Amino acid sequence: QVHVVESGGGLVQPGGSLRLSCAASGIIFRLSDIAWYRQAPGKQRELVARLNSGGSTFYSDSVKGRFSISRDNTKNTVDLQMDSLKPEDTAVYYCRCDVSWGQGTQVTVSS
């Protein structure tokens, strides 16, 4: 029984920051491949950032240099630090641990 739950979304002004968190249970978290995706209105879901158990990271070109993914294996959590947010970052953000998905958390960037 795997549970993945995101939190930390909300409304923020352009240029602001948010930190999303994802809590996972029912998996061997330290061995998991974790990632953040997002889906904007009318668009397909896209990969934002990925971090595997070996420490390798991937960022999409649109967020590189602004977002940072990290994990805490003692807490079974994965975070996405989002800085210099833009209106185009507005989307529902989803956490994935291996093949398990969270329910999503809304991020809205608007003045």
Side-chain angles (χ1 to χ4, degrees):
Q1 188 174 1
V2 179
H3 291 91
V4 181
V5 181
E6 303 97 332
S7 63
L11 175 65
V12 65
Q13 294 183 345
S17 297
L18 283 175
R19 189 175 185 89
L20 306 183
S21 294
C22 175
S25 62
I27 59 173
I28 306 176
F29 185 79
R30 63 181 175 85
L31 302 179
S32 297
D33 180 286
I34 58 176
W36 286 94
Y37 292 73
R38 68 186 181 188
Q39 187 166 22
K43 297 183 178 180
Q44 292 184 304
R45 186 174 299 185
E46 64 174 343
L47 176 64
V48 175
R50 180 185 176 189
L51 174 63
N52 67 20
S53 61
S56 298
T57 59
F58 167 85
Y59 296 96
S60 68
D61 290 340
S62 62
V63 308
K64 191 175 299 182
R66 300 188 298 119
F67 290 12
S68 180
I69 187 172
S70 62
R71 69 196 300 161
D72 187 338
N73 291 334
T74 67
K75 300 179 179 179
N76 283 12
T77 58
V78 54
D79 290 352
L80 184 69
Q81 178 65 44
M82 306 186 296
D83 298 322
S84 301
L85 284 163
K86 305 174 181 179
E88 66 188 52
D89 296 319
T90 296
V92 177
Y93 284 71
Y94 298 89
C95 178
R96 176 186 59 77
C97 297
D98 293 331
V99 298
S100 300
W101 292 80
Q103 82 289 347
T105 184
Q106 176 71 48
V107 172
T108 302
V109 185
S110 179
S111 299

